[in-house]
Amino acid sequence: MKKIAVLGSTGSIGTQTLDIVRKHSELKITALTAGSNIELLEKQVREFLPSLVCVYNEEKAAKLRENIKDCSTKVVAGMDGLIACAAQAEAETVVTAMVGMIGIQPTIEAIKAGKDIALANKETLVTAGHLIMPLIKEKKVSLLPVDSEHSAIFQSLHGEKERDVHKIILTASGGPFRGKKLSELTDVQPKDALKHPNWAMGQKLTIDSATMVNKGLEVMEAAWLFAVPIDRIQVVVHPQSIIHSMVEYIDGSVLAQLGAPDMRLPIQYALFYPDRTTFPGVERLDFISLSQLTFEEPDLDTFYGLKLGCTAGRIGGSMPTVYNAANEWAVAEFLQGRIAFLDIPAIIQEAMRHHQLIHNPSLNEILNTEQETYDFVRGVAKSVSLQ
Amino acid sequence: MKKIAVLGSTGSIGTQTLDIVRKHSELKITALTAGSNIELLEKQVREFLPSLVCVYNEEKAAKLRENIKDCSTKVVAGMDGLIACAAQAEAETVVTAMVGMIGIQPTIEAIKAGKDIALANKETLVTAGHLIMPLIKEKKVSLLPVDSEHSAIFQSLHGEKERDVHKIILTASGGPFRGKKLSELTDVQPKDALKHPNWAMGQKLTIDSATMVNKGLEVMEAAWLFAVPIDRIQVVVHPQSIIHSMVEYIDGSVLAQLGAPDMRLPIQYALFYPDRTTFPGVERLDFISLSQLTFEEPDLDTFYGLKLGCTAGRIGGSMPTVYNAANEWAVAEFLQGRIAFLDIPAIIQEAMRHHQLIHNPSLNEILNTEQETYDFVRGVAKSVSLQ
């Protein structure tokens, strides 16, 4: 029986994680957390009977506490509650499935409490990799990537030696606007950008995929996870999303992981690692009906958000936080219809240009940088009348 | 310093093995063997200074002995000589690169003498897998596949568990006649069949690739090497020969090994396993310029030699020996212009139909079956006036 805490259980990765738990009696949920969706969280509590849940929003937490007073589940709230779930004594593995930099502190506390981490929160390594990776080593816990690309790289590295890696080939679907030029993207509406060709994901991630900013974040994440410099990570557009990523070794040999585009596969892999187990109802690849896999160079002029991500990763320090925070803010504004699609990379670029770099930032400095970036981009957006 | 004996050093795999040794000062040749090409063998002796060489042909052996009397290398001959090289005290790894069933006995002796085997001789496992595999376990030596497909499977299995394998996906280039129907292959000449689209190989293997009999042999070999039943091995035609083979796991995840079509890569992998090392002058894959990888179902009506191979593997016992021996004889006849291209699978089929199966044959019974098959197919060829 593996005991699991899921931080962010009402989101896309969270619900898919629970779908995996539902299929395997060897897995047990001990804690769940949500931002504010207490309707879904209540259902999850009644199904999975965790001993502890957290709602970040205090009012909603109080409401849930009232609604489930027939259950033995304890309801906590806020950052303290989130940390209580992350460091819960019972849990062995913590799935960090919340979106945003809110995930960093609970992840750190989970590692300090000796939990294995199934990492789905991109921001953790992107902004605080220099704090997280030494801690992972010190506490001798496992850091298991849940993202399909990073899981593919992890699987392609399994049993191999880090020193034998020549480069990482990170595949990208190219998103819904692959092949388009900048001039064709001026009038993109949120509903267009939310149509991802292959993957069912949360809204934020789907927009990040349309701008290719997600690949910028993934490049930075891969660099930390696999201790590979940014310049040894090549992004290749592979529209079918069948090869989830690859590793090229010093002898020219390339190992790749392939699979149906279903996030539950990498989630399950992380939860059962180092074992594999059957995936009930898995869609198996049929190479005959696939017929072809294609590859293209990413268009870094149109999708320059990706290029900015690699630049932020190369600069390091507090710059990835700026990249991430500016993007987070811009995507939210775009989804609200307040800025244009192409304003997203433009705002990231402005924020990065303006930022005074902090080398090796502390957690506080990272969180301050996030806040300062929000303040700055709000001002930029006003001054250039983007709204 | 790893000490290596190469059985069959003047053939395609043998010379490529020596090319690898030439590039790595950590490798040393201690023994070489050849069938009759003493001109090339002499050059190899002078370059690699092995302490022992064998020429299978006794007369040629005597001639070489005379020609290199200025060297300290000892020259032996015949099957006894071959076995002396295979079991040579000095050698740690034996590369079995000769073509044909002549490879079985020396391979067995090498295993008995505790050598690791870099296996390039297909016939060994195809005809005597039931004798070889238990011996490998008993003597606790490594059996490292040199064939590109089996090396790909081996690499895709590295660090994984046998029980987690769902199936093996063996890729096939489809050879020079991919897409052709039976009626288009009646007038095929040896020179047409010897034009392989991707790989530089010996003549026998190139014809086997044109008939797809090589895949039949590879399916049987994979079944032994990886302890997977024939029906869990799927042959997929992949004309670019970039994905060298794949393994699908129970969770639906597929691991694949890719690389430039260069036999020296899997040879080097086998010689350095479990380490990887740089391959001087390696052609690295460039996915952008590759642009696409395609997949097709094999045409088992046209290339029914492949289907016969799977049947022989399913039947087991002495049947794979019949399949292999009938093919070996037919390919030699075809290369001499004495039978037609399509007679190759027809002769294999006749030989298999005629054969009285021996379950679990001894080495002697295998060798007798080979001889009986030769005798039978000679008769078939005469009686139906194929000649």
Side-chain angles (χ1 to χ4, degrees), chain A residues 152 155-156 158-161 163-164 166-167 169 234-237 243 246 248-260 265 268-269 274-279 282-288 290-298, chain B residues 152 155-156 158-161 163-164 166-167 169 234-237 243 246 248-260 265 268-269 274-279 282-288 290-298:
Chain A
Q155 291 181 54
S156 298
H158 189 52
E160 300 284 343
K161 298 180 191 76
R163 65 161 189 265
D164 290 344
H166 178 70
K167 76 174 177 195
I169 301 163
Q234 179 189 11
V235 175
V236 170
V237 174
I243 299 183
M246 308 186 248
E248 182 182 332
Y249 291 92
I250 49 173
D251 59 359
S253 187
V254 173
L255 291 182
Q257 190 265 342
L258 303 82
L265 289 171
Q268 179 178 286
Y269 183 80
D275 292 322
R276 290 183 186 273
T277 185
T278 51
F279 179 80
V282 62
E283 185 195 330
R284 294 195 180 274
L285 286 184
D286 172 5
F287 285 89
I288 306 304
L290 274 183
S291 146
Q292 64 167 13
L293 302 176
T294 64
F295 307 95
E296 301 166 14
E297 197 147 14
Chain B
Q155 291 181 54
S156 298
H158 190 53
E160 300 284 341
K161 298 179 189 76
R163 65 162 190 265
D164 290 344
H166 177 70
K167 75 175 180 197
I169 301 163
Q234 179 190 11
V235 176
V236 170
V237 173
I243 299 184
M246 307 187 249
E248 182 183 332
Y249 291 92
I250 50 174
D251 59 0
S253 186
V254 173
L255 291 183
Q257 190 265 341
L258 303 83
L265 288 171
Q268 178 179 286
Y269 184 79
D275 292 322
R276 291 183 186 272
T277 184
T278 51
F279 179 80
V282 61
E283 184 194 331
R284 296 195 179 273
L285 286 184
D286 172 6
F287 285 88
I288 307 303
L290 275 181
S291 142
Q292 63 167 11
L293 303 177
T294 64
F295 306 96
E296 299 166 17
E297 198 147 16

Side-chain angles (χ1 to χ4, degrees), chain B residues 365-376:
Chain B
E365 287 171 317
I366 292 169
L367 297 174
N368 286 342
T369 298
E370 181 188 34
Q371 202 49 57
E372 285 167 20
T373 304
Y374 287 157
D375 294 343
F376 172 76

Side-chain angles (χ1 to χ4, degrees), chain A residues 250-375:
Chain A
I250 49 173
D251 59 359
S253 187
V254 173
L255 291 182
Q257 190 265 342
L258 303 82
D262 184 333
M263 277 308 298
R264 293 174 304 175
L265 289 171
I267 297 171
Q268 179 178 286
Y269 183 80
L271 294 182
F272 281 87
Y273 179 82
D275 292 322
R276 290 183 186 273
T277 185
T278 51
F279 179 80
V282 62
E283 185 195 330
R284 294 195 180 274
L285 286 184
D286 172 5
F287 285 89
I288 306 304
S289 71
L290 274 183
S291 146
Q292 64 167 13
L293 302 176
T294 64
F295 307 95
E296 301 166 14
E297 197 147 14
D299 174 355
L300 295 180
D301 294 326
T302 304
F303 302 99
Y304 67 99
L306 165 55
K307 197 162 60 180
L308 291 170
C310 297
T311 304
R314 260 182 227 108
I315 295 171
S318 54
M319 196 57 89
T321 299
V322 174
Y323 177 82
N324 178 69
N327 177 61
E328 196 174 289
W329 184 87
V331 170
E333 291 293 293
F334 170 69
L335 284 170
Q336 297 292 324
R338 288 201 286 260
I339 65 169
F341 182 72
L342 291 180
D343 291 336
I344 301 172
I347 285 170
I348 299 172
Q349 184 161 270
E350 271 310 293
M352 284 174 63
R353 276 190 187 146
H354 170 264
H355 180 62
Q356 291 290 323
L357 187 69
I358 306 166
H359 294 283
N360 208 21
S362 67
L363 180 56
N364 266 340
E365 287 171 317
I366 292 169
L367 297 173
N368 286 343
T369 297
E370 181 189 34
Q371 203 49 57
E372 285 168 19
T373 304
Y374 286 158
D375 294 342

